[in-house]
Amino acid sequence: MEKVRLIEVKENILSDNDAVAADLRRTLFASETYVINLMASPGAGKTSLLLQTLPRLSDLFSMGVVEADIDSAVDAEKIMKTGVKSVQLRTGGFCHLDASMVKKGLDAIGYEKFDIVFIENVGNLVCPAEFDTGAIADVMILSVPEGDDKPLKYPLMFSKCSVLIVNKTDMAVLSDFDIKKLEKRVRRLNPGIKIFPLSCRTGEGLGSWTGWLEGAVAEFRKGIST
Amino acid sequence: MEKVRLIEVKENILSDNDAVAADLRRTLFASETYVINLMASPGAGKTSLLLQTLPRLSDLFSMGVVEADIDSAVDAEKIMKTGVKSVQLRTGGFCHLDASMVKKGLDAIGYEKFDIVFIENVGNLVCPAEFDTGAIADVMILSVPEGDDKPLKYPLMFSKCSVLIVNKTDMAVLSDFDIKKLEKRVRRLNPGIKIFPLSCRTGEGLGSWTGWLEGAVAEFRKGIST
């Protein structure tokens, strides 16, 4: 077989927002607000995960949600129907969130009132990975129908997140998705990543994720108080 | 219910590559090469669609494939295993293709030898929609597990494509995907769009798509000769 020809077209599209992110993170430590930057492809289940997670933790934590989409406010409306405070960032074509946008959303929702604020980033496995949002934790979702080869193609996203949620495990019967192959590919990029296979539709596996989150928030507070 | 609060964060990230795209398109008309810019989320089935489409049309057309990914050459390798000529553009972090990158890929593969060249864009429903690649047709895939609300969130992609392929119809039994709702939402943005529901896994519906493509190439040539 002829060898595949590679043509490099790398360009640098990153602007430096690290200072804004570092500032924001200091503010969040001061207010003891655990902010999660939730990233995934379109339709992987970001909003579904929030709709399943919020009621499971509502006795333990006060929580808010900052939604981001290029257009529409459907996600924030879904969240608000559950009684959880939510604002919608409309990016107007912008493909990711940077730290200053996240700061706007957090200020608008009044982040200092909350134990946890979830930022639902724009549905995109590429650009959001490139920008530090100032959040305390980066969490991503991969859904089973997307396939187990995605770490090969979107390595930065899998490298930078501390948690990988593998959603739609109930759809595995209709695909050749191999969780072992996925794990191997992910751990090659990111050995310490936590992986939670679950189904937001059936509820299977959600307890492990919310249990981890509960512990992570406790650790975060301990870090602050010591 | 409290009204959702909207915070506008629009910024202009587009650079003008329209002149390059227009030039490229003129070249493609001259060489009678029908170039398709294929766009979708990660894992929606771009490579699967090509693997199903190429053998079905190989008696009628000479075809080539330009693959694009941030990293890896797995897609081009899959295509080349079928005996179809393919090159891999490695974008090195870049989240979309513009006309000059596509031109590089087409030059590398020798586009003038082919009746049809498929460009598999980076898996992303956002950024690729913003750039004219110089292709003759823009085709997108939405897969059933992504959900029927995606036209509300990624309106530009659904507006600019002349064809929408709805892949993974075999997974509809495990979701609340409503094709009628999807069609209504898409046609509000793009009344003339062709919609082909199909499953690359079962083969269902593929004939309508390849039949349309055969006709589109014939029309393209007629346009050239008159």
Side-chain angles (χ1 to χ4, degrees):
Chain A
M1 198 177 85
E2 193 185 346
K3 206 170 167 299
V4 167
R5 186 157 165 205
L6 283 167
I7 307 110
E8 305 286 348
V9 286
K10 183 159 190 170
E11 295 185 36
N12 187 356
I13 53 155
L14 300 179
S15 63
D16 189 356
N17 84 142
D18 288 355
V20 184
D23 255 7
L24 178 55
R25 202 173 284 113
R26 271 190 293 274
T27 317
L28 298 176
F29 270 98
S31 69
E32 302 198 3
T33 310
Y34 192 81
V35 171
I36 293 180
N37 173 28
L38 184 60
M39 297 176 283
S41 297
K46 293 182 293 302
T47 313
S48 301
L49 183 75
L50 295 180
L51 291 172
Q52 293 296 331
T53 302
L54 295 166
R56 282 173 166 82
L57 295 176
S58 58
D59 289 347
L60 297 169
F61 303 115
S62 62
M63 294 176 287
V65 175
V66 175
E67 291 286 343
D69 257 314
I70 291 169
D71 205 353
S72 97
V74 291
D75 287 345
E77 283 160 6
K78 276 186 203 163
I79 299 294
M80 285 178 69
K81 273 185 195 156
T82 71
V84 171
K85 174 96 176 169
S86 176
V87 295
Q88 178 87 41
L89 291 169
R90 190 157 57 190
T91 69
F94 220 46
C95 53
H96 64 273
L97 294 178
D98 63 17
S100 65
M101 294 180 210
V102 167
K103 191 175 177 324
K104 270 184 199 158
L106 289 172
D107 286 341
I109 203 172
Y111 65 89
E112 61 284 353
K113 298 190 302 277
F114 298 106
D115 300 315
I116 306 175
V117 178
F118 297 93
I119 311 285
E120 184 179 327
N121 214 311
V122 179
N124 185 335
L125 273 193
V126 189
C127 320
E130 313 239 23
F131 291 84
D132 184 350
T133 59
I136 304 298
D138 289 316
V139 173
M140 73 169 291
I141 307 175
L142 179 78
S143 63
V144 163
E146 292 173 74
D148 53 37
D149 63 343
K150 292 301 162 288
L152 305 174
K153 298 177 166 191
Y154 307 93
L156 186 61
M157 181 62 82
F158 288 85
S159 303
K160 84 169 269 183
C161 288
S162 48
V163 174
L164 164 62
I165 285 165
V166 182
N167 189 24
K168 307 191 192 179
T169 51
D170 57 305
M171 285 185 163
V173 289
L174 290 180
S175 80
D176 55 0
F177 188 91
D178 184 335
I179 186 97
K180 293 283 167 224
K181 268 191 198 162
L182 175 78
E183 282 200 30
K184 208 168 155 186
R185 286 167 178 160
V186 173
R187 294 207 187 280
R188 207 174 292 145
L189 297 165
N190 186 345
I193 195 168
K194 305 277 179 305
I195 303 179
F196 299 106
L198 56 81
S199 165
C200 290
R201 201 172 72 97
T202 67
E204 184 203 1
L206 272 155
S208 305
W209 149 247
T210 54
W212 172 85
L213 182 52
E214 205 184 315
V217 175
E219 286 294 314
F220 172 66
R221 287 174 172 171
K222 224 187 290 173
I224 289 168
S225 58
T226 55
Chain B
M1 198 178 83
E2 195 185 346
K3 207 171 166 295
V4 168
R5 187 158 164 203
L6 284 167
I7 308 109
E8 305 285 348
V9 287
K10 182 160 191 171
E11 295 185 33
N12 188 357
I13 54 155
L14 301 179
S15 63
D16 189 357
N17 83 141
D18 287 355
V20 184
D23 255 8
L24 179 54
R25 200 172 286 113
R26 272 190 293 274
T27 317
L28 298 175
F29 270 98
S31 69
E32 300 197 4
T33 310
Y34 192 81
V35 171
I36 292 181
N37 173 28
L38 185 59
M39 297 176 284
S41 297
K46 294 182 291 304
T47 313
S48 300
L49 183 75
L50 294 180
L51 291 172
Q52 293 295 332
T53 303
L54 295 166
R56 282 174 166 81
L57 295 177
S58 58
D59 288 347
L60 296 169
F61 303 115
S62 60
M63 293 176 287
V65 175
V66 176
E67 290 286 343
D69 258 314
I70 291 169
D71 205 352
S72 97
V74 290
D75 287 344
E77 284 160 5
K78 276 187 202 163
I79 299 293
M80 285 178 68
K81 273 185 193 154
T82 70
V84 171
K85 173 95 177 171
S86 177
V87 296
Q88 179 87 40
L89 290 170
R90 190 157 58 190
T91 69
F94 219 47
C95 53
H96 65 272
L97 295 177
D98 63 18
S100 65
M101 296 180 207
V102 167
K103 190 176 179 321
K104 271 185 198 155
L106 289 172
D107 285 343
I109 203 172
Y111 65 89
E112 62 283 354
K113 298 190 302 278
F114 297 106
D115 300 315
I116 305 176
V117 178
F118 296 93
I119 312 287
E120 185 179 326
N121 214 311
V122 179
N124 185 336
L125 273 194
V126 189
C127 320
E130 313 239 22
F131 291 83
D132 185 350
T133 59
I136 303 298
D138 289 316
V139 173
M140 72 170 291
I141 307 176
L142 179 79
S143 63
V144 163
E146 292 173 74
D148 53 37
D149 63 344
K150 292 300 161 288
L152 305 174
K153 298 175 164 193
Y154 307 93
L156 185 62
M157 181 62 83
F158 287 86
S159 302
K160 84 170 270 184
C161 289
S162 49
V163 173
L164 164 63
I165 285 166
V166 182
N167 188 23
K168 307 191 191 179
T169 51
D170 56 306
M171 285 185 164
V173 289
L174 290 179
S175 80
D176 55 1
F177 188 91
D178 184 335
I179 185 99
K180 292 284 166 221
K181 268 191 196 161
L182 176 78
E183 283 201 29
K184 209 169 154 185
R185 286 165 178 162
V186 173
R187 294 209 187 278
R188 209 174 289 146
L189 298 165
N190 188 344
I193 195 169
K194 304 278 181 302
I195 302 178
F196 298 107
L198 55 81
S199 165
C200 289
R201 201 173 71 97
T202 67
E204 183 203 1
L206 273 155
S208 304
W209 149 247
T210 53
W212 173 84
L213 182 51
E214 205 184 315
V217 175
E219 285 294 313
F220 172 67
R221 288 175 171 171
K222 225 187 288 171
I224 289 168
S225 58
T226 53

